[in-house]
Every structure is written in structure tokens, then in C-alpha cells.
Amino acid sequence: MRFTFDNLARTNTALLLWSLGSVVLGILIYWLSEMPLLKSLHLELWALPTIAPLPVALAFASWTLNNRARTLSESTRRFWGPFADNCTIILPSFEPIRGVGDGLDDPSPFTPYHDAVASSEIQSFLRHHFGSETQVHSSREFSGLQGLGQKNLIVLGGSNFNNVTDELMSELWKRIPGQVFHWSKTVHADSAASALVSHSQDHFLQIGHSDAGVNIMDEIRDVPCPSPGQCGNARGMVIRIKSFLQDGHYILIVGGADCAQGTLAAARFCLDPEQLSNLPDTGYLQVIVSCTTRGYNITGILKLRELSGNLPS
């Protein structure tokens, strides 16, 4: 990072160090003023009150100007801090977990590419901001959720390709079946709500429960490219929760509605401190994002929905 006045004291720690530097400089000036060769200069009369306070004065001015930088740093620490230690990233498999040709997603060369990019960018982010390394595993290595409670989890990919996502969303459906978004596959698995799923490709559904039954409160789908060379829109979902597998841990689920571009968009949303600064710190946080797609490229990541609250105990 290039050294400028603007980043002289971006943090509280930097301000403290510059303050200590001013104290040391003041002591040095006083010591020099007592030396016989310099006594006639009377450093204690002009240098001590002017030069010694200069570093802390400049640092304080820089610190004041960098209030936004501290806010963004705090937002990053609050969101990602739990995943800086004892964390595992779980990648989806290439094949749909129920096989090809069952009405779910078919394999695409974009799927492993975008999932791998999302994983790499998250690992680089954690390494840069926290100096931490994360383990990476395939979801095929796990059967059920046993043994995962001892880790902070970052689970990439939707419930069609990642069986850990599938298990977690099924558990969340039991705990909070309504008010929040679920993949349509999870909704379809509930006999009381399965009739509400009318679209063949996976998408996000927010289901309401009342005495009259269940109903669709909101529905979000990908918007495919109308023709080659034109843009479409992919949707992604971020779920950050305090782990219900074991106290003291967190779970982050990042997946696309129907394609891996949505997964990458959701991951990049989480890596943007400006976006994080607007999110609440709650036991349950869900964000639905959208991005513009052209081939394997994505641009224009936007937040479509935000839901937050606390999981029932």
C-alpha cells in the first residue's frame, strides 16, 4: 500500500503508535536540550512544544478522516472474523446429488469453474485480512452433518449439487419453514408445500404459513439469456447463521438459484466491505443478490432482498 497522509493512521492502533512516537520524540528533544553543545539553542522552549506534538497531530487528523475506513474494517471483522479460525470450505460435486436427468440441474462446465473461483477468492480474502488458512473439502466426503459441528463452515453451491447444503437447508426448513427463502427443492420435499413448486428449474421461494395453509410470499428465479451474446441475470443467496450443530461456531452458505454464476455473485457480495457495512449482526442473516451474466463473466452485483433475525433455540 502506497504511504500517503490519508493512510497515515487509518486505525486506532496506528494512532496509538504515533502518539507513543510523539512522547519518545519529546523525551529525545528534552535530552538534547540538556547537552552542553545544544544548550544555547533552548530546544525546550521552541522545539518541545512544536516539533514533538507534530506526529500525533498529523496522525489524529488522518485518523479523523479515516472514520469510514474503520467502519469498513469493523464490518469485515464482524462478518468474517468467526471464519478466520478452524474453518472448512465445502465445495459441491460436479454431478447433481440425485443424478442427471431427474429434472434437476444438468452438469455445466461453468459450475466447477465458478465454484472454484468463489472458493479461491474467499481463501485469498481470509488470508489477506486475517492471515488464516482454510481447509477445502468436497461435499462427497461427508454423509450427513455428523462431525461438522466442530468447525466453522463455508458451504458453496446450492442444494442440488452440494449434499451438505441440502442437509443444512432441510434442517433449517424444520427450524424456520417460513419467513425466509429456501431453495425450491427444499420446499418440494415437504408434502404440505410441494404443490407450490411449479417451476422446473431450481429457484428461491419464501413460504408463508397460516391457519389457511401455506402460500408463496415471494419467488426469485434466474433470468436466462434470451439469445447467445445477450445478457441474463443470475441470482444467488447468502445465509450466515450461528451454528445449530454446536455452540460457538458459525455457518455460511453461499449458493446460486440455478447456476454457479449466482454462487460467485453471492460470494463476491460477501467480500465487499461496502456491502457488509450495511448488514446487521444477527443470529440469522439472509441476502438474495442478482448479477448480470454474459457467458462465464458476471458484473453488476446487487442486493435484492435482506432478511435477518434469530434462530429459535
Side-chain angles (χ1 to χ4, degrees):
M1 180 174 64
R2 188 167 59 91
F3 183 81
T4 64
F5 171 74
D6 208 36
N7 60 38
L8 181 69
R10 300 181 63 186
T11 65
N12 295 340
T13 301
L15 179 62
L16 177 61
L17 291 175
W18 281 107
S19 300
L20 292 175
S22 282
V23 172
V24 172
L25 184 58
I27 294 173
L28 178 61
I29 292 173
Y30 183 80
W31 178 73
L32 291 173
S33 69
E34 293 297 309
M35 294 180 65
L37 290 176
L38 300 176
K39 223 173 186 18
S40 61
L41 296 177
H42 301 291
L43 295 176
E44 75 281 1
L45 297 180
W46 60 274
L48 195 60
T50 57
I51 297 178
L54 188 59
V56 72
L58 293 174
F60 183 76
S62 175
W63 180 84
T64 303
L65 293 173
N66 271 290
N67 180 61
R68 182 59 180 168
R70 291 193 302 280
T71 298
L72 297 181
S73 177
E74 172 59 24
S75 298
T76 298
R77 186 203 61 76
R78 185 177 66 241
F79 187 95
W80 285 105
F83 302 99
D85 182 53
N86 191 27
C87 180
T88 294
I89 295 176
I90 302 177
L91 292 171
S93 63
F94 177 64
E95 297 286 345
I97 60 178
R98 285 167 178 75
V100 181
D102 63 351
L104 301 177
D105 292 338
D106 291 329
S108 163
F110 289 154
T111 301
Y113 170 78
H114 287 96
D115 292 337
V117 172
S119 173
S120 176
E121 291 185 3
I122 290 173
Q123 291 177 73
S124 297
F125 185 89
L126 291 174
R127 188 180 303 115
H128 173 73
H129 287 276
F130 300 96
S132 60
E133 298 292 337
T134 53
Q135 298 178 352
V136 181
H137 295 275
S138 168
S139 60
R140 288 180 176 272
E141 299 177 38
F142 303 97
S143 177
L145 301 177
Q146 292 80 10
L148 292 176
Q150 300 173 359
K151 299 277 189 178
N152 293 300
L153 301 177
I154 300 174
V155 189
L156 299 178
S159 57
N160 283 342
F161 286 87
N162 193 319
N163 56 283
V164 176
T165 302
D166 189 35
E167 295 269 2
L168 290 170
M169 294 308 297
S170 296
E171 184 64 28
L172 280 176
W173 177 260
K174 298 173 187 175
R175 294 169 179 266
I176 40 176
Q179 292 76 56
V180 299
F181 285 93
H182 289 269
W183 271 278
S184 57
K185 177 183 158 307
T186 305
V187 179
H188 190 269
D190 187 311
S191 59
S194 60
L196 298 175
V197 181
S198 58
H199 188 61
S200 59
Q201 298 298 319
D202 215 3
H203 52 288
F204 301 137
L205 286 172
Q206 185 183 20
I207 303 299
H209 293 253
S210 66
D211 294 338
V214 293
N215 63 288
I216 297 176
M217 298 172 61
D218 200 354
E219 183 176 16
I220 297 176
R221 304 177 185 174
D222 284 351
V223 181
C225 300
S227 61
Q230 293 186 302
C231 296
N233 294 105
R235 320 296 193 184
M237 178 158 62
V238 177
I239 300 176
R240 181 185 183 275
I241 54 176
K242 292 181 179 179
S243 178
F244 48 77
L245 302 176
Q246 184 170 313
D247 291 342
H249 292 86
Y250 281 77
I251 298 171
L252 180 66
I253 302 173
V254 179
D258 190 51
C259 65
Q261 283 99 328
T263 301
L264 182 56
R268 287 182 174 171
F269 176 90
C270 297
L271 299 177
D272 184 351
E274 290 285 353
Q275 299 284 9
L276 297 180
S277 68
N278 298 316
L279 299 178
D281 184 19
T282 56
Y284 181 97
L285 172 67
Q286 182 179 60
V287 178
I288 307 295
V289 305
S290 176
C291 71
T292 301
T293 64
R294 186 188 292 272
Y296 60 83
N297 294 313
I298 68 169
T299 57
I301 300 171
L302 301 172
K303 179 172 67 174
L304 296 181
R305 306 284 192 278
E306 177 190 316
L307 301 169
S308 61
N310 292 300
L311 287 172
S313 55

